Amino acid sequence: MQGEDEPSSSATMVEDEIYANGTSADDQKRNRPIITGEQLDIEAYASLYSGRTKITRLIFIADHCGADTNQTMQLEALRMAYDEIKKGENTLLFREVVTKIDGRLGPDYGMDATWCEMIERRAEQRKDKLENELNAYRTNLIKESLRMGYNDFGDFYYAHGALGDAFKSYVRTRDYCTTSKHIIHMCMSAILVSIEMGQFTHVTSYASKAEQTPEALDAITSAKLRCAAGLAHLEVKKYKLAARKFLETGPELGSHYNEVIAPQDVATYGGLCALATFDRSELKSKVIDNVNFRNFLELVPVVRELINDFYSSRYASCLDYLGNLKPNLLLDIHLHDHVETLYDQIRHKALIQYTLPFVSVDLRMMADAFKTSVAGLEKELETLITNNQIQARIDSHNKILYARHADQRNATFQRVLQTGSDFDREIRSMLLRANLIKHDYNQRGGSRKI
């Protein structure tokens, strides 16, 4: 079989490309922009986010990093979550984190009953004040005041972790919106709370509603809406739609939406969903040649490299990158449920594209290229052949895959015969109509007597 590099030469090629940047190989190795299987840098990761999502992501890492094998990471995540919560007013999350810590971080990270009582007392006072103000606004019947009153209640409930009440308060402002900007603000608030609650049907609904008022949308808000819609599609496993939304996200997003998503996430989510669902032409035009999305890919070089490797048919290198990324992706609050599905789809696409140009493929060489055993590769190919994704047959004795290409000569003859038959039928119909007209044999509607 010709046309495929050995894994060793592919790896060497990748090494050459990475290091050929005008500096020494030793310097490049120290600063190599590739995420490896090393432990996630929690502090750097958490710094990408703000607000409630920062806390929930840290708690998620603590719950899923494997406490038996990685207790250090778990305690570090819980410590950072504890410190972050103390900056806010969410006593519900505070109690949850203290329970998870269970005294393992010493007395400084135990239950602070005094702080909880102070926050809850202040919350009661704040709530009474907001209720009094809202009652006064209801008496005056001023729409803008009522909108602000319900919005303040939404902010209050959100800060204290009552997400259901926050959502209801934000949605109630809809009746008092008087401008397009007010509608956008209401939609963005509802989207934020819906994402935190995991109610992605609401996210889709309010993102669509916001997009119906384009005159009030600036570039940053449009980018936020595309990210929110992308997350909603990702949650329901509509990976191609999710990829399109993330790819349409403008670079104006920056860190303006770090209460929900970081620009690095846009690159990772969009890149993986595109790899799993786009064909080669789409991958080239919508991802690799996409100037706006390139700005996001620069933030996550490993995703950029694996996309380029996949497009260039360097599958061993691409799968290595994916394997190194996987432990960290499994700690992502939005992506963890989809990692296995996306990886399977990407691998299947790679297998299909590898076999496409060839009449026969040596399974031993193919197994080397995909870092697997011949027996394991056979099972994967059997599944693809059964699902009619690869037109081929396997010679298990000689370990060769033979492609079953369509008989182009026979197909051409069949198309010619079908075209001739269609032409003959159309000519006979034309002659019949011409003879009917010639002999004035036509019957007008309503002239027939019964």
Side-chain angles (χ1 to χ4, degrees):
M1 182 192 70
Q2 302 294 326
E4 187 67 23
D5 292 331
E6 291 288 332
S8 59
S9 63
S10 175
T12 304
M13 188 186 302
V14 174
E15 292 284 323
D16 292 341
E17 289 175 1
I18 291 172
Y19 297 145
N21 290 319
T23 56
S24 69
D26 290 338
D27 291 338
Q28 285 287 356
K29 285 178 181 177
R30 283 194 293 272
N31 302 308
R32 189 178 179 185
I34 302 297
I35 298 175
T36 64
E38 297 174 2
Q39 182 172 304
L40 178 69
D41 185 342
I42 299 179
E43 188 171 352
Y45 176 78
S47 67
L48 300 174
Y49 307 98
S50 66
R52 183 184 171 88
T53 193
K54 181 175 183 177
I55 298 166
T56 53
R57 284 173 183 267
L58 287 168
I59 294 173
F60 185 87
I61 289 172
D63 289 341
H64 292 81
C65 67
D68 296 335
T69 58
N70 207 342
Q71 190 175 23
T72 304
M73 177 184 280
Q74 184 191 45
L75 292 177
E76 177 67 10
L78 290 172
R79 181 189 64 78
M80 293 183 66
Y82 184 101
D83 291 337
E84 191 67 25
I85 292 170
K86 289 293 286 285
K87 298 175 185 176
E89 301 176 318
N90 194 334
T91 56
L92 295 173
L93 271 181
F94 180 76
R95 289 189 172 92
E96 179 185 339
V97 169
V98 169
T99 302
K100 291 179 183 294
I101 292 174
D102 195 25
R104 291 177 293 170
L105 290 173
D108 292 338
Y109 289 91
M111 185 62 193
D112 190 343
T114 305
W115 180 81
C116 288
E117 289 172 6
M118 180 191 71
I119 292 296
E120 287 168 355
R121 185 170 60 252
R122 191 188 302 166
E124 285 296 323
Q125 294 170 356
R126 172 70 174 157
K127 186 177 181 181
D128 290 341
K129 181 183 177 184
L130 289 174
E131 285 178 345
N132 292 332
E133 289 177 352
L134 189 59
N135 289 331
Y137 296 152
R138 287 194 184 111
T139 304
N140 297 330
L141 293 176
I142 300 173
K143 276 193 169 186
E144 176 60 13
S145 298
L146 286 167
R147 186 187 72 84
M148 291 297 294
Y150 281 115
N151 197 70
D152 289 342
F153 252 116
D155 292 342
F156 168 80
Y157 285 129
Y158 182 75
H160 290 274
L163 298 180
D165 292 328
F167 181 76
K168 291 175 185 176
S169 296
Y170 285 135
V171 171
R172 289 200 68 176
T173 65
R174 177 175 53 187
D175 298 332
Y176 307 102
C177 291
T178 55
T179 68
S180 297
K181 287 188 176 180
H182 292 166
I183 294 173
I184 297 296
H185 185 270
M186 180 273 296
C187 290
M188 296 306 296
S189 299
I191 287 169
L192 174 62
V193 180
S194 298
I195 290 173
E196 294 288 352
M197 292 192 298
Q199 299 290 335
F200 286 93
T201 51
H202 292 320
V203 175
T204 304
S205 174
Y206 284 100
S208 299
K209 185 175 180 64
E211 288 173 345
Q212 290 170 8
T213 55
E215 69 279 359
L217 290 176
D218 55 31
I220 294 174
T221 306
S222 295
K224 289 180 178 181
L225 289 172
R226 288 189 173 91
C227 286
L231 286 175
H233 289 312
L234 177 65
E235 183 65 23
V236 295
K237 299 186 178 181
K238 295 180 179 178
Y239 299 126
K240 191 159 192 173
L241 293 176
R244 286 174 180 167
K245 288 297 181 182
F246 289 124
L247 292 172
E248 290 169 2
T249 303
E252 299 84 5
L253 179 73
S255 59
H256 294 290
Y257 209 28
N258 59 6
E259 66 270 25
V260 172
I261 193 171
Q264 286 85 345
D265 295 331
V266 175
T268 304
Y269 300 169
L272 292 179
C273 288
L275 270 184
T277 56
F278 284 5
D279 59 31
R280 281 181 64 81
S281 60
E282 286 180 307
L283 200 62
K284 175 68 172 171
S285 61
K286 295 181 180 179
V287 182
I288 296 173
D289 293 341
N290 186 332
V291 177
N292 287 336
F293 193 66
R294 195 178 300 159
N295 294 321
F296 293 106
L297 287 176
E298 293 299 325
L299 301 173
V300 192
V302 64
V303 176
R304 181 196 64 208
E305 293 297 328
L306 71 88
I307 290 172
N308 287 328
D309 282 346
F310 186 92
Y311 183 76
S312 303
S313 302
R314 295 191 291 266
Y315 300 119
S317 175
C318 174
L319 294 173
D320 275 344
Y321 284 133
L322 286 170
N324 292 334
L325 265 179
K326 190 172 183 179
N328 292 342
L329 295 181
L330 289 171
L331 297 177
D332 186 281
I333 196 168
H334 293 299
L335 201 61
H336 72 285
D337 282 338
H338 310 280
V339 171
E340 295 295 343
T341 304
L342 289 171
Y343 271 44
D344 286 345
Q345 291 186 16
I346 291 169
R347 186 175 178 85
H348 289 166
K349 277 190 64 182
L351 290 168
I352 293 167
Q353 288 190 18
Y354 186 100
T355 61
L356 205 57
F358 305 110
V359 174
S360 63
V361 179
D362 188 323
L363 294 185
R364 299 178 189 86
M365 293 180 66
M366 190 173 177
D368 288 340
F370 283 89
K371 301 289 183 71
T372 186
S373 64
V374 174
L377 179 63
E378 278 193 56
K379 288 183 179 178
E380 288 185 271
L381 291 172
E382 284 170 11
T383 303
L384 293 172
I385 292 170
T386 304
N387 295 334
N388 207 30
Q389 292 180 275
I390 292 180
Q391 303 295 324
R393 57 186 176 84
I394 299 173
D395 183 345
S396 296
H397 178 70
N398 295 314
K399 303 302 179 187
I400 295 176
L401 180 78
Y402 291 102
R404 283 203 299 257
H405 293 297
D407 188 341
Q408 298 293 339
R409 180 185 178 90
N410 183 58
T412 302
F413 282 139
Q414 292 298 327
R415 284 199 301 272
V416 170
L417 289 172
Q418 184 62 42
T419 302
S421 177
D422 293 342
F423 180 74
D424 181 67
R425 187 177 63 254
E426 289 173 3
I427 291 296
R428 289 178 182 276
S429 299
M430 289 172 62
L431 290 172
L432 176 61
R433 286 194 295 272
N435 281 325
L436 289 173
I437 293 170
K438 179 180 178 181
H439 293 91
D440 197 22
Y441 192 83
N442 57 348
Q443 187 171 348
R444 301 184 184 280
S447 63
R448 184 177 178 185
K449 294 181 180 179
I450 299 176

